[in-house]
Amino acid sequence: MNAVWLGAIVAVAATFVHVEDTHAEDMAGTISQYRREHGLPSVKTDPQLTAIAKRQAEAMAASGTMDHSVAGSFSSRMSAAPTTAAAENIAAGTKTWGDTFRIWQNSPGHNANLLLARADSVGVAVARNEQTQYKTFWAMVIAEKTPKSPKNPKSKERKTAAQEKAAEPRGQWGSSENPFSTVKNFVCKYLCN
């Protein structure tokens, strides 16, 4: 019985083929170019996000199903990655990166993930299993990586910008009150005596 399981595992593992002509840097470059066309910053390939995407693609290929939770919930898979925002796209059955990317662009939810405004990092993976209906399984994780220390220049910029906004003097119209209260106070200042 153990020999049968071992044979099945070897057969499935042997069908995981990563498409050689599709490199992670090329995929990140495609995503970055698309983001720049929409006024957003580029993303760089991140080894940790790539590992998470690879785990998801391989789990889908092993099970033969396209499902976001086949390798565990997205939040549990992302728990080891320090991020402040993250999203995942998956696909199955497309043969090329270009076809997969076009499908994601034409899907409002997937496109929103590609254009995640604060993203700076991405991981993309593909796995194959010829024994399944779809044959090819894709996963992309895009995220804003959390700064590792307070000395990170990006975190300092954000903190400074937030501090500046909080320190800005409020003009005549500025108030933390309900907007209706602001209008009422303005009107009453001149008319309610």
Side-chain angles (χ1 to χ4, degrees):
M1 182 69 168
N2 287 340
V4 172
W5 277 109
L6 180 59
I9 290 169
V10 169
V12 170
T15 63
F16 292 138
V17 178
H18 295 281
V19 181
E20 296 300 325
D21 59 293
T22 306
H23 301 287
E25 292 299 323
D26 295 338
M27 292 185 275
T30 302
I31 295 167
S32 289
Q33 179 181 344
Y34 184 63
R35 290 174 56 80
R36 285 190 304 271
E37 290 168 2
H38 287 84
L40 296 169
S42 297
V43 290
K44 66 183 180 307
T45 301
D46 179 81
Q48 194 172 30
L49 298 182
T50 300
I52 293 167
K54 180 180 176 185
R55 178 179 168 206
Q56 176 66 17
E58 289 179 348
M60 290 189 303
S63 69
T65 60
M66 184 179 73
D67 186 308
H68 282 281
S69 61
V70 73
S73 71
F74 184 64
S75 60
S76 70
R77 290 183 285 119
M78 292 300 296
S79 64
T83 61
T84 54
E88 175 180 68
N89 284 356
I90 59 174
T94 53
K95 293 181 181 179
T96 68
W97 165 242
D99 291 343
T100 304
F101 189 69
R102 277 187 291 283
I103 286 171
W104 287 343
Q105 287 175 300
N106 292 317
S107 162
H110 293 100
N111 192 55
N113 290 345
L114 290 169
L115 300 176
L116 183 67
R118 297 173 11 208
D120 57 17
S121 305
V122 69
V124 185
V126 59
R128 292 186 55 82
N129 183 345
E130 295 298 327
Q131 316 275 299
T132 66
Q133 171 189 357
Y134 297 113
K135 313 279 189 254
T136 307
F137 299 83
W138 301 84
M140 177 203 75
V141 178
I142 189 165
E144 177 186 37
K145 294 288 285 213
T146 304
K148 292 185 180 180
S149 73
K151 294 180 183 182
N152 182 313
K154 281 187 176 181
S155 68
K156 188 172 184 174
E157 285 174 21
R158 272 191 229 127
K159 189 173 183 182
T160 302
Q163 288 172 338
E164 285 174 8
K165 184 170 179 136
E168 286 178 5
R170 295 192 186 272
Q172 180 180 0
W173 303 101
S175 171
S176 61
E177 296 179 47
N178 179 324
F180 295 110
S181 297
T182 303
V183 171
K184 177 184 163 215
N185 291 342
F186 176 77
V187 170
C188 284
K189 180 177 178 180
Y190 297 101
L191 302 174
C192 302
N193 283 335

